[in-house]
Amino acid sequence: MTIQANTLRASSARRVAAEVPKIIIYVLLTLVAIVSLFPLYWLFNTALTPATSTVKLPPDLIPMNATLNNFTEIIRTAGTSKIPIPGSAEPLVIPRIYLWFINTAFIAIFSTAVHVLFDSMAGYAFAKRKFPGSNVLFWLILAALMIPGQVTLVPLYLMITRMGLVNTFPGVILPGLADVIGIFLLKQYIQTLPSELEEAARIDGASEWMIYTKIILPLTVPALAVTAIFSFQRYWNSFLWPLIVLQTPDLFTLQVGLSFIHTSEFGTNYGMMMAGAALAAIPMIIFFFAFQKYFMQGLRIGAIKG
Amino acid sequence: MNTTLTARSTPLQRIVRFWNKHKWSYFFIFPSMLLFFLFIAYPVAQAFLLAFQKVDLRGSAWVGLKNFQDLADSRLFWDSMRHTFIYAFFVVAAWITSSMLVASLIQPLSNKIQSLFRGAFYLPNVISIVVISLVWIWIFEPDYGFFNYLLGLVGLPRVLWLQDPDIALWSIVLSTILIVPGSGVVLYSAAMGSIPREYYEAADVEGANALQKLINITFPLLKPTTLYLTVIYTIAGFQIFERVYIMTGGGPINATTTIVQLIFQTAFSDFNYGRASAQALILFAIIATFSILQFKFLSTDVEY
């Protein structure tokens, strides 16, 4: 009885002691989160603030007279593009920023699709199949993870120059596809799958391609999702390589286009610049909230024996 | 009968048998390996050759170690090395500290709130550095920027964040460390969650205080995570480019030029491809050295 009462008292005291620091924890965490999220908040705040209120002191801490004028302004400033339509004399005229959007989405989606297919094929072979050279090749891939991308920058540029691919999408996409992290990630994952299903299917006379598509791929969906998500984020945000390859504004990606406007005479129109930055950021924000679970999972898969 | 047949098989038969046995394996790795050799292995080998040549748009010629000697004599090269080291050092130190701190603050909260905070800290990390850098230019703007507004509120004179050569590099560092790295928060938080409660309970029984528990239980068991994060953050730190390119372009008067910014200028403004390759190889050597050193000094065989 006494012992029980004592333990009760001790535990409730501990609970009170735990509640007080909890408030401090919330306050601290919220403060750090506000600082961390502030640039993103300031981006949208400025983007929605009328241009006349952007350059004044004190600044509007919340968008009091919210307007989309900055967005129409950036769309106007980026100019228009003429797209020839087959069978029509009149080209289609659209705001160039829409084209940048389409270009970025095309490069990101195409590159991601290729990565998911090729990386899962290679990951499956390295994880489950024994063949001469597999160890050497896999070690080469691991070694390549250590090499910073800047080492290949100049040779790749000289290569696409020789191939006549400067200022083309293949010039951006092809060398951009050289990234081995997905192979590594998928190999790690596929290794953990049991081999029985595969072997049973082989005995039943399934072709090797069918085993890959009908057995391996369905079991690998979580890891494929992680690969796809990280790859899409990387290609959507990619900057240095497209900046080097692309020269014609109509071919720019959003990141390159933004940097192009930033260095132009309009670069100091901050409301407009923030609207442009918001346009590039919004798809990634939606993307993050849609696939948050996979982002968190992917980090852990990547870190295991990273 | 069968065995003699196999033993007597001709080389052609052996090739056919090998091919039949392994063709699917090679088929599965072929596309990735093609991309790998064409766009990674071959260009890396090329970079090693280019670094010992003088290359421009007209052609190339072997120059031995001249590119490296030129770099050793170049004030700008040493400056950009110094800037890169300063940036990497402070960013890694701050990121490891802040993500460990945030993760340990999150730890006692309920699962739902934990994942809410993890999401909040991860969100800024999915946005492109180009976009983030554009916002920082605006926050650092001398007349109407948010930071000088804050300084004005407390009666301090305004600061030329990106225009003052003595300050610009520190402003870029500041812009990087003020955003807590989401990857660190997520990984530390996962690692802390997997430390068995019994360790802390045993420490409680022996009367250890919170600080002792942190130093004797938490830190040692977080070592593998700390190692991993230190390595990837150091690599990322040395490769800093986009922030510099967008925020200052390396200026004012080269006060913020980093190695990758220098590689970019050397290759695509000066068209000195050989020299740019030499710079890239030095960056590679630095990154490799640091990765190996960190593994050596930080690695342990923590199992729990």
Side-chain angles (χ1 to χ4, degrees), chain A residues 25-26 36-39 42 46 54 56 58-59 118 121 125 129 132 141 148 150-151 155 159 178 208 233 237 239-240 244 255 262 270 274 288 292 296 299, chain B residues 18 24-26 28-29 32-33 36 38-40 42-43 47 105 113 119-120 122 125-126 128 134-135 137-138 144 146 149 179-180 186 239 241-242 246 268 284:
Chain A
I25 286 175
Y26 277 119
S36 229
L37 287 168
F38 177 75
W42 205 236
T46 310
T54 313
K56 72 174 181 67
F118 289 1
M121 283 167 63
R129 308 178 67 94
I141 288 173
Q150 292 82 12
V151 171
M159 185 194 281
E208 296 296 325
Q233 183 198 353
N237 290 342
F239 178 62
L240 177 53
I244 291 168
Q255 317 297 338
H262 160 64
Y270 290 103
M274 291 306 102
F288 173 68
Q292 192 175 348
M296 305 292 153
L299 280 176
Chain B
F18 181 88
W24 279 100
S25 298
Y26 292 118
F28 281 120
I29 62 162
S32 294
M33 289 301 110
F36 172 75
L38 207 55
F39 298 124
I40 298 183
Y42 173 66
L105 285 174
I113 304 215
Y122 198 83
N125 297 268
V126 302
S128 80
L134 289 173
V135 188
I137 292 176
W138 168 224
Y144 303 101
F146 186 75
Y149 160 70
I179 297 183
V180 178
V186 172
Q239 290 178 287
F241 167 72
E242 288 158 349
I246 299 282
F268 303 106
F284 177 28

Coordinates of all heavy atoms in Angstrom, one line a residue, chain A residues 25-26 36-39 42 46 54 56 58-59 118 121 125 129 132 141 148 150-151 155 159 178 208 233 237 239-240 244 255 262 270 274 288 292 296 299, chain B residues 18 24-26 28-29 32-33 36 38-40 42-43 47 105 113 119-120 122 125-126 128 134-135 137-138 144 146 149 179-180 186 239 241-242 246 268 284:
Chain A
I25 N 9.9 22.9 -24.7 CA 10.2 22.3 -25.9 C 9.4 22.8 -27.1 O 9.9 23.1 -28.2 CB 10.0 20.7 -25.8 CG1 11.1 20.1 -24.9 CG2 10.0 20.0 -27.1 CD1 10.9 18.7 -24.6
Y26 N 8.1 22.9 -26.9 CA 7.2 23.4 -27.9 C 7.6 24.8 -28.4 O 7.7 25.1 -29.6 CB 5.7 23.4 -27.5 CG 5.1 22.1 -27.7 CD1 4.5 21.4 -26.6 CD2 4.9 21.5 -28.9 CE1 3.9 20.2 -26.7 CE2 4.3 20.3 -29.1 CZ 3.8 19.6 -28.0 OH 3.2 18.4 -28.1
S36 N 13.4 28.6 -39.7 CA 13.7 27.7 -40.8 C 12.7 27.9 -42.0 O 13.1 27.8 -43.2 CB 13.6 26.2 -40.4 OG 14.7 25.5 -40.8
L37 N 11.5 28.2 -41.7 CA 10.5 28.3 -42.7 C 10.3 29.8 -43.2 O 9.6 30.0 -44.2 CB 9.1 27.8 -42.2 CG 9.0 26.3 -42.1 CD1 7.7 25.9 -41.3 CD2 8.9 25.6 -43.5
F38 N 11.0 30.7 -42.5 CA 10.8 32.1 -42.8 C 11.1 32.4 -44.3 O 10.3 33.1 -44.9 CB 11.7 33.0 -41.9 CG 11.5 34.5 -42.3 CD1 10.4 35.2 -42.0 CD2 12.5 35.1 -43.0 CE1 10.2 36.5 -42.4 CE2 12.4 36.4 -43.4 CZ 11.2 37.1 -43.1
P39 N 12.2 32.0 -44.9 CA 12.5 32.4 -46.3 C 11.3 32.0 -47.2 O 10.9 32.7 -48.1 CB 13.7 31.6 -46.6 CG 14.4 31.4 -45.3 CD 13.3 31.2 -44.3
W42 N 8.5 34.3 -46.6 CA 8.7 35.6 -47.1 C 8.6 35.6 -48.6 O 8.2 36.6 -49.2 CB 10.1 36.1 -46.7 CG 10.3 37.5 -46.6 CD1 11.3 38.3 -47.3 CD2 9.6 38.5 -45.9 NE1 11.1 39.6 -47.0 CE2 10.1 39.8 -46.2 CE3 8.5 38.4 -45.0 CZ2 9.5 40.9 -45.6 CZ3 7.9 39.5 -44.5 CH2 8.5 40.8 -44.7
T46 N 5.9 38.2 -50.2 CA 6.3 39.2 -51.1 C 5.7 39.0 -52.5 O 5.3 40.0 -53.1 CB 7.9 39.2 -51.3 OG1 8.5 39.3 -50.0 CG2 8.3 40.4 -52.1
T54 N 6.0 46.6 -51.9 CA 7.2 45.8 -51.6 C 8.3 46.7 -51.1 O 9.0 46.3 -50.2 CB 7.6 45.1 -52.9 OG1 6.5 44.5 -53.5 CG2 8.6 44.1 -52.6
K56 N 8.9 49.4 -49.3 CA 8.5 50.4 -48.3 C 8.9 49.9 -46.9 O 9.1 48.7 -46.7 CB 7.1 50.8 -48.3 CG 6.1 49.7 -47.8 CD 4.7 50.2 -47.8 CE 3.7 49.2 -47.2 NZ 3.9 48.9 -45.8
P58 N 7.8 50.3 -42.7 CA 8.1 48.9 -42.5 C 7.5 48.0 -43.6 O 6.4 48.4 -44.1 CB 7.5 48.6 -41.1 CG 6.4 49.6 -41.0 CD 6.9 50.8 -41.8
P59 N 8.0 46.8 -43.8 CA 7.4 45.9 -44.8 C 6.1 45.3 -44.3 O 5.9 45.3 -43.1 CB 8.5 44.8 -45.0 CG 9.3 44.8 -43.7 CD 9.2 46.2 -43.2
F118 N 15.6 1.7 -65.8 CA 17.0 1.2 -65.9 C 17.5 0.8 -64.5 O 18.2 -0.2 -64.4 CB 17.9 2.2 -66.6 CG 17.6 2.4 -68.0 CD1 16.6 1.7 -68.7 CD2 18.4 3.3 -68.8 CE1 16.4 1.9 -70.0 CE2 18.1 3.5 -70.1 CZ 17.1 2.8 -70.8
M121 N 16.1 -2.5 -63.3 CA 16.6 -3.6 -64.0 C 18.0 -3.9 -63.5 O 18.3 -5.1 -63.2 CB 16.7 -3.3 -65.5 CG 15.4 -3.3 -66.2 SD 15.4 -2.6 -67.9 CE 16.6 -3.6 -68.7
A125 N 19.4 -7.2 -61.3 CA 20.5 -8.1 -61.7 C 21.6 -8.2 -60.7 O 22.1 -9.2 -60.3 CB 21.1 -7.6 -63.0
R129 N 21.0 -11.9 -59.4 CA 21.6 -12.8 -60.4 C 23.1 -12.8 -60.3 O 23.7 -11.8 -60.0 CB 21.2 -12.2 -61.8 CG 19.7 -12.0 -61.9 CD 19.3 -11.4 -63.3 NE 19.6 -12.4 -64.3 CZ 18.7 -13.2 -64.8 NH1 17.4 -13.2 -64.4 NH2 19.0 -14.1 -65.8
P132 N 29.4 -13.3 -64.3 CA 30.7 -12.9 -64.3 C 30.8 -11.3 -64.4 O 30.2 -10.7 -65.3 CB 31.4 -13.5 -65.5 CG 30.4 -14.7 -65.8 CD 29.1 -14.2 -65.4
I141 N 30.5 1.2 -59.6 CA 29.3 2.1 -59.3 C 29.5 2.7 -58.0 O 29.2 3.9 -57.8 CB 28.0 1.3 -59.4 CG1 27.8 0.9 -60.9 CG2 26.9 2.0 -58.8 CD1 26.6 0.0 -61.0
P148 N 32.7 13.8 -57.3 CA 31.8 15.0 -57.4 C 31.5 15.2 -58.9 O 32.3 15.1 -59.8 CB 32.6 16.1 -56.8 CG 34.0 15.7 -56.8 CD 34.0 14.2 -56.7
Q150 N 31.3 17.8 -60.6 CA 32.0 18.8 -61.3 C 33.2 18.2 -62.0 O 33.7 18.9 -63.0 CB 32.5 19.9 -60.3 CG 31.4 20.7 -59.6 CD 30.8 20.0 -58.5 OE1 31.3 19.0 -58.0 NE2 29.7 20.5 -58.0
V151 N 33.7 17.0 -61.7 CA 34.8 16.4 -62.3 C 34.4 16.1 -63.8 O 35.3 16.3 -64.7 CB 35.2 15.1 -61.6 CG1 36.3 14.4 -62.4 CG2 35.8 15.5 -60.2
P155 N 34.5 17.6 -69.4 CA 34.5 16.5 -70.4 C 33.1 16.3 -71.0 O 33.0 16.1 -72.3 CB 35.0 15.3 -69.7 CG 35.7 15.8 -68.5 CD 35.1 17.1 -68.1
M159 N 32.0 16.7 -74.9 CA 31.4 15.6 -75.6 C 30.1 16.0 -76.3 O 30.0 15.7 -77.5 CB 31.1 14.5 -74.5 CG 30.6 13.2 -75.2 SD 29.8 12.1 -73.9 CE 31.3 11.4 -73.2
A178 N 23.2 10.1 -66.1 CA 24.3 9.3 -65.5 C 24.3 9.6 -64.0 O 24.9 10.5 -63.5 CB 25.6 9.7 -66.1
E208 N 12.4 -14.7 -68.2 CA 13.2 -13.8 -67.3 C 12.6 -12.4 -67.3 O 12.5 -11.8 -66.2 CB 14.7 -13.7 -67.7 CG 15.4 -15.0 -67.6 CD 15.5 -15.6 -66.2 OE1 15.6 -14.8 -65.3 OE2 15.4 -16.8 -66.0
Q233 N 12.6 15.2 -57.9 CA 13.1 16.4 -57.2 C 14.4 16.9 -57.7 O 14.6 18.1 -57.9 CB 13.2 16.1 -55.7 CG 13.6 17.4 -54.8 CD 14.1 17.0 -53.5 OE1 14.1 15.8 -53.0 NE2 14.6 18.0 -52.8
N237 N 14.8 20.5 -59.8 CA 15.6 21.6 -59.2 C 17.0 21.7 -59.8 O 17.7 22.6 -59.5 CB 15.8 21.3 -57.7 CG 14.5 21.5 -56.9 OD1 13.6 22.1 -57.4 ND2 14.5 20.9 -55.7
F239 N 20.2 22.6 -61.9 CA 20.5 24.0 -62.4 C 21.8 24.1 -63.2 O 21.8 24.5 -64.3 CB 20.6 25.0 -61.2 CG 21.0 26.4 -61.6 CD1 20.1 27.1 -62.4 CD2 22.1 27.0 -61.1 CE1 20.5 28.4 -62.8 CE2 22.5 28.2 -61.5 CZ 21.6 29.0 -62.3
L240 N 22.9 23.6 -62.6 CA 24.2 23.8 -63.3 C 24.3 23.3 -64.7 O 24.7 23.9 -65.6 CB 25.3 23.3 -62.4 CG 26.8 23.4 -62.9 CD1 27.1 24.8 -63.3 CD2 27.8 22.9 -61.9
I244 N 24.5 25.3 -68.4 CA 25.6 25.2 -69.3 C 25.1 24.8 -70.7 O 25.6 25.4 -71.7 CB 26.6 24.2 -68.8 CG1 27.3 24.7 -67.5 CG2 27.7 23.9 -69.8 CD1 28.1 23.7 -66.8
Q255 N 14.4 26.9 -63.5 CA 15.5 27.4 -62.7 C 16.4 28.3 -63.6 O 16.9 29.3 -63.1 CB 16.3 26.2 -62.1 CG 15.5 25.1 -61.5 CD 14.7 25.5 -60.4 OE1 15.0 26.5 -59.7 NE2 13.6 24.7 -60.1
H262 N 16.7 37.1 -63.3 CA 17.4 37.7 -62.2 C 18.6 38.5 -62.6 O 18.9 39.6 -62.1 CB 17.9 36.6 -61.2 CG 18.9 37.0 -60.3 ND1 18.8 38.0 -59.3 CD2 20.2 36.6 -60.1 CE1 19.9 38.1 -58.7 NE2 20.8 37.3 -59.1
Y270 N 11.6 43.0 -57.0 CA 11.6 41.8 -56.1 C 10.2 41.1 -56.0 O 10.1 39.9 -55.9 CB 12.1 42.2 -54.7 CG 13.6 42.5 -54.7 CD1 14.0 43.8 -54.7 CD2 14.5 41.4 -54.8 CE1 15.4 44.0 -54.8 CE2 15.8 41.7 -54.9 CZ 16.3 43.0 -54.8 OH 17.6 43.2 -54.9
M274 N 9.9 37.2 -56.8 CA 9.4 36.3 -55.8 C 8.2 35.5 -56.4 O 8.0 34.3 -56.1 CB 8.9 37.0 -54.5 CG 10.1 37.6 -53.7 SD 11.4 36.4 -53.3 CE 12.6 36.7 -54.4
F288 N 5.8 17.5 -52.3 CA 6.3 17.1 -51.0 C 5.1 16.6 -50.1 O 5.2 15.6 -49.5 CB 7.1 18.2 -50.3 CG 7.4 17.9 -48.9 CD1 8.4 16.9 -48.6 CD2 6.8 18.6 -47.8 CE1 8.7 16.6 -47.3 CE2 7.2 18.3 -46.5 CZ 8.1 17.3 -46.2
Q292 N 5.1 12.9 -48.8 CA 5.9 13.1 -47.6 C 6.5 11.8 -47.0 O 7.6 11.7 -46.7 CB 5.1 13.8 -46.6 CG 5.9 14.4 -45.4 CD 5.1 15.2 -44.5 OE1 3.9 15.5 -44.8 NE2 5.6 15.5 -43.3
M296 N 10.5 10.6 -46.3 CA 11.1 10.2 -45.0 C 11.7 8.8 -45.1 O 12.8 8.6 -44.6 CB 10.0 10.2 -43.9 CG 9.3 11.6 -43.8 SD 10.4 12.9 -43.2 CE 9.7 14.3 -43.9
L299 N 15.1 8.6 -47.2 CA 16.3 9.1 -46.5 C 16.8 7.9 -45.7 O 18.1 7.7 -45.7 CB 15.9 10.2 -45.5 CG 15.7 11.6 -46.1 CD1 15.2 12.5 -45.0 CD2 17.0 12.0 -46.6
Chain B
F18 N 27.7 -20.1 -72.4 CA 27.9 -18.9 -71.5 C 26.8 -17.8 -71.8 O 26.2 -17.3 -70.9 CB 29.3 -18.3 -71.7 CG 29.6 -17.1 -70.8 CD1 30.2 -17.3 -69.6 CD2 29.4 -15.8 -71.3 CE1 30.4 -16.2 -68.8 CE2 29.6 -14.7 -70.5 CZ 30.2 -14.9 -69.3
W24 N 20.5 -12.8 -70.0 CA 19.5 -12.0 -69.4 C 20.1 -11.1 -68.4 O 19.7 -9.9 -68.2 CB 18.4 -12.8 -68.8 CG 17.4 -13.3 -69.8 CD1 17.3 -14.5 -70.4 CD2 16.4 -12.4 -70.3 NE1 16.3 -14.5 -71.3 CE2 15.7 -13.2 -71.3 CE3 16.0 -11.1 -70.1 CZ2 14.6 -12.7 -72.0 CZ3 14.9 -10.6 -70.8 CH2 14.2 -11.4 -71.8
S25 N 21.1 -11.6 -67.6 CA 21.8 -10.7 -66.6 C 22.4 -9.5 -67.3 O 22.3 -8.4 -66.9 CB 22.9 -11.5 -65.9 OG 22.3 -12.5 -65.2
Y26 N 23.1 -9.7 -68.5 CA 23.7 -8.6 -69.2 C 22.7 -7.7 -69.8 O 22.9 -6.5 -69.9 CB 24.7 -9.2 -70.2 CG 25.9 -9.8 -69.5 CD1 26.2 -11.1 -69.7 CD2 26.7 -9.0 -68.7 CE1 27.3 -11.7 -69.0 CE2 27.8 -9.6 -68.0 CZ 28.1 -11.0 -68.2 OH 29.1 -11.5 -67.5
F28 N 19.8 -7.0 -68.4 CA 19.3 -6.2 -67.4 C 20.2 -5.1 -67.0 O 19.8 -4.0 -66.6 CB 18.9 -7.0 -66.1 CG 17.6 -7.8 -66.3 CD1 17.6 -9.2 -66.2 CD2 16.4 -7.1 -66.5 CE1 16.4 -9.9 -66.3 CE2 15.3 -7.8 -66.6 CZ 15.2 -9.2 -66.5
I29 N 21.5 -5.3 -67.0 CA 22.4 -4.2 -66.6 C 22.9 -3.3 -67.8 O 23.4 -2.3 -67.6 CB 23.7 -4.8 -65.9 CG1 24.5 -5.6 -66.8 CG2 23.4 -5.5 -64.6 CD1 25.9 -5.8 -66.3
S32 N 21.9 0.7 -68.0 CA 22.6 1.4 -66.9 C 24.1 1.5 -67.1 O 24.7 2.5 -66.9 CB 22.3 0.8 -65.5 OG 21.0 0.9 -65.2
M33 N 24.7 0.4 -67.5 CA 26.1 0.3 -67.7 C 26.5 1.2 -68.9 O 27.6 1.8 -68.8 CB 26.6 -1.1 -67.9 CG 26.5 -2.0 -66.6 SD 27.5 -1.3 -65.3 CE 26.2 -0.8 -64.2
F36 N 26.5 4.6 -67.6 CA 27.6 4.7 -66.7 C 29.0 4.9 -67.3 O 29.7 5.8 -67.0 CB 27.6 3.5 -65.7 CG 28.8 3.5 -64.8 CD1 28.9 4.3 -63.7 CD2 29.9 2.6 -65.0 CE1 30.0 4.3 -62.9 CE2 31.0 2.6 -64.2 CZ 31.0 3.4 -63.1
L38 N 29.6 5.7 -70.6 CA 29.6 6.8 -71.5 C 29.6 8.1 -70.8 O 30.4 9.0 -71.2 CB 28.3 6.7 -72.4 CG 28.4 7.3 -73.8 CD1 29.5 6.7 -74.5 CD2 27.0 7.0 -74.5
F39 N 28.8 8.3 -69.7 CA 28.7 9.6 -69.1 C 29.3 9.8 -67.7 O 29.2 10.8 -67.1 CB 27.2 10.0 -69.1 CG 26.6 10.1 -70.4 CD1 25.4 9.3 -70.8 CD2 27.1 10.9 -71.4 CE1 24.9 9.4 -72.0 CE2 26.5 11.0 -72.7 CZ 25.4 10.2 -73.0
I40 N 29.9 8.7 -67.2 CA 30.6 8.9 -65.9 C 32.0 8.4 -66.1 O 33.0 9.2 -66.0 CB 29.9 8.1 -64.7 CG1 28.5 8.7 -64.5 CG2 30.8 8.3 -63.5 CD1 27.8 8.1 -63.3
Y42 N 34.0 7.3 -68.6 CA 34.8 7.9 -69.7 C 35.1 9.4 -69.4 O 36.2 9.8 -69.5 CB 34.0 7.7 -71.0 CG 34.7 8.4 -72.2 CD1 35.9 8.0 -72.7 CD2 34.0 9.5 -72.8 CE1 36.5 8.7 -73.7 CE2 34.6 10.1 -73.9 CZ 35.8 9.8 -74.3 OH 36.4 10.4 -75.4
P43 N 34.1 10.2 -69.0 CA 34.4 11.6 -68.7 C 35.4 11.7 -67.5 O 36.2 12.7 -67.5 CB 33.0 12.2 -68.4 CG 32.0 11.3 -69.0 CD 32.6 10.0 -69.0
A47 N 38.8 13.7 -67.7 CA 39.1 14.8 -66.8 C 40.6 14.7 -66.4 O 41.3 15.7 -66.3 CB 38.2 14.8 -65.6
L105 N 14.9 17.5 -29.3 CA 13.7 18.2 -28.8 C 12.4 17.6 -29.2 O 11.4 17.5 -28.5 CB 13.7 19.7 -29.3 CG 14.7 20.6 -28.6 CD1 14.6 22.0 -29.3 CD2 14.4 20.8 -27.1
I113 N 2.8 14.6 -33.5 CA 3.4 15.9 -33.5 C 4.9 15.8 -34.0 O 5.4 16.7 -34.7 CB 3.4 16.5 -32.0 CG1 2.0 16.5 -31.6 CG2 4.1 17.8 -31.9 CD1 1.5 17.6 -30.7
G119 N 8.1 17.2 -40.9 CA 7.6 17.7 -42.2 C 7.9 19.2 -42.3 O 8.4 19.6 -43.3
A120 N 7.7 19.9 -41.2 CA 8.0 21.4 -41.3 C 9.4 21.6 -41.5 O 9.8 22.5 -42.2 CB 7.5 22.0 -39.9
Y122 N 11.5 19.6 -42.9 CA 12.0 19.0 -44.2 C 11.6 19.9 -45.4 O 12.3 20.0 -46.4 CB 11.5 17.6 -44.4 CG 12.3 16.9 -45.5 CD1 13.5 16.3 -45.1 CD2 11.9 16.8 -46.8 CE1 14.3 15.7 -46.1 CE2 12.7 16.2 -47.7 CZ 13.9 15.6 -47.4 OH 14.6 15.0 -48.3
N125 N 13.8 22.0 -47.6 CA 14.8 21.3 -48.3 C 14.4 20.8 -49.7 O 15.3 20.3 -50.4 CB 15.3 20.2 -47.4 CG 15.9 20.7 -46.1 OD1 17.1 20.9 -46.0 ND2 15.1 20.9 -45.1
V126 N 13.1 20.8 -50.0 CA 12.7 20.3 -51.3 C 12.7 21.4 -52.3 O 12.6 21.1 -53.5 CB 11.4 19.5 -51.3 CG1 11.3 18.4 -50.3 CG2 10.2 20.5 -51.0
S128 N 14.3 24.3 -54.7 CA 15.6 24.5 -55.4 C 16.4 25.6 -54.7 O 15.8 26.6 -54.2 CB 15.4 24.8 -56.8 OG 15.1 26.1 -57.0
L134 N 17.2 33.3 -54.4 CA 16.5 34.5 -54.8 C 15.8 35.2 -53.6 O 15.8 36.4 -53.5 CB 15.5 34.2 -55.9 CG 16.1 33.9 -57.3 CD1 15.1 33.4 -58.3 CD2 16.9 35.0 -57.9
V135 N 15.2 34.4 -52.8 CA 14.6 34.9 -51.6 C 15.6 35.6 -50.7 O 15.4 36.7 -50.1 CB 13.8 33.8 -50.8 CG1 13.0 34.5 -49.7 CG2 13.0 33.0 -51.6
I137 N 18.4 37.0 -51.5 CA 18.9 38.2 -52.0 C 17.9 39.3 -51.6 O 18.3 40.4 -51.2 CB 18.9 38.2 -53.6 CG1 20.0 37.2 -54.0 CG2 19.1 39.6 -54.2 CD1 20.0 37.1 -55.5
W138 N 16.6 39.0 -51.6 CA 15.6 40.0 -51.2 C 15.6 40.2 -49.7 O 15.5 41.4 -49.2 CB 14.2 39.4 -51.7 CG 13.0 40.1 -51.2 CD1 11.9 39.5 -50.7 CD2 12.7 41.5 -51.1 NE1 10.9 40.4 -50.3 CE2 11.4 41.7 -50.6 CE3 13.5 42.7 -51.4 CZ2 10.9 42.9 -50.3 CZ3 12.9 43.9 -51.1 CH2 11.6 44.0 -50.6
Y144 N 15.4 47.8 -48.4 CA 14.0 47.4 -48.0 C 14.0 45.9 -47.6 O 13.0 45.3 -47.3 CB 13.0 47.5 -49.1 CG 13.0 49.0 -49.6 CD1 13.6 49.4 -50.8 CD2 12.3 49.9 -48.9 CE1 13.6 50.7 -51.2 CE2 12.2 51.3 -49.2 CZ 12.9 51.6 -50.4 OH 12.8 53.0 -50.8
F146 N 14.4 42.4 -45.3 CA 13.9 42.1 -44.0 C 15.0 42.3 -42.9 O 14.7 42.7 -41.8 CB 13.3 40.7 -44.0 CG 12.6 40.4 -42.7 CD1 11.3 41.0 -42.5 CD2 13.1 39.6 -41.8 CE1 10.6 40.7 -41.3 CE2 12.5 39.3 -40.6 CZ 11.2 39.8 -40.4
Y149 N 15.7 45.8 -42.0 CA 14.5 46.3 -41.3 C 14.6 45.9 -39.8 O 14.3 46.7 -38.9 CB 13.2 45.7 -42.0 CG 12.0 45.8 -41.1 CD1 11.4 47.0 -40.8 CD2 11.4 44.6 -40.6 CE1 10.3 47.0 -40.0 CE2 10.3 44.6 -39.8 CZ 9.7 45.8 -39.5 OH 8.6 45.8 -38.7
I179 N 18.5 27.6 -42.2 CA 17.5 26.6 -42.5 C 18.0 25.3 -42.0 O 19.1 24.8 -42.4 CB 17.3 26.5 -44.0 CG1 16.7 27.9 -44.5 CG2 16.3 25.4 -44.3 CD1 16.3 27.9 -45.9
V180 N 17.3 24.7 -41.0 CA 17.7 23.4 -40.4 C 17.6 22.3 -41.5 O 16.6 22.2 -42.2 CB 16.8 23.1 -39.2 CG1 17.2 21.7 -38.6 CG2 16.9 24.1 -38.1
V186 N 15.4 14.2 -39.7 CA 14.8 12.9 -39.9 C 15.6 11.7 -39.5 O 15.2 10.8 -38.7 CB 14.3 12.7 -41.4 CG1 13.8 11.3 -41.6 CG2 13.3 13.8 -41.7
Q239 N 30.9 21.5 -52.4 CA 30.4 21.6 -53.7 C 29.5 22.9 -53.9 O 28.8 23.0 -54.9 CB 29.6 20.4 -54.2 CG 30.5 19.2 -54.4 CD 29.7 18.0 -54.7 OE1 29.0 17.4 -53.9 NE2 29.8 17.6 -56.0
F241 N 27.8 25.9 -55.0 CA 27.9 26.7 -56.2 C 26.7 27.6 -56.4 O 26.8 28.8 -56.5 CB 28.0 25.7 -57.4 CG 27.8 26.4 -58.7 CD1 28.7 27.3 -59.2 CD2 26.6 26.3 -59.5 CE1 28.5 28.0 -60.4 CE2 26.4 26.9 -60.7 CZ 27.4 27.8 -61.1
E242 N 25.5 27.0 -56.4 CA 24.3 27.8 -56.8 C 24.0 29.0 -56.0 O 23.7 30.1 -56.5 CB 23.0 26.8 -56.8 CG 23.1 25.9 -58.0 CD 22.3 24.6 -57.8 OE1 21.8 24.4 -56.7 OE2 22.1 23.9 -58.7
I246 N 24.0 32.6 -57.8 CA 22.8 33.5 -57.8 C 23.0 34.7 -56.9 O 22.7 35.8 -57.3 CB 21.6 32.7 -57.4 CG1 21.3 31.5 -58.3 CG2 20.4 33.6 -57.3 CD1 20.7 31.8 -59.6
F268 N 33.7 28.1 -68.4 CA 32.7 28.7 -69.3 C 32.7 30.2 -69.5 O 31.9 30.7 -70.3 CB 31.3 28.2 -68.9 CG 31.2 26.7 -68.8 CD1 31.3 26.0 -67.6 CD2 31.2 25.9 -70.0 CE1 31.2 24.6 -67.6 CE2 31.2 24.6 -70.0 CZ 31.2 23.9 -68.8
F284 N 38.0 17.0 -56.2 CA 37.8 15.6 -56.0 C 38.7 15.0 -54.9 O 38.3 14.3 -54.0 CB 38.0 14.9 -57.3 CG 37.9 13.4 -57.3 CD1 37.1 12.7 -56.4 CD2 38.6 12.6 -58.2 CE1 37.0 11.3 -56.4 CE2 38.5 11.2 -58.2 CZ 37.7 10.6 -57.3

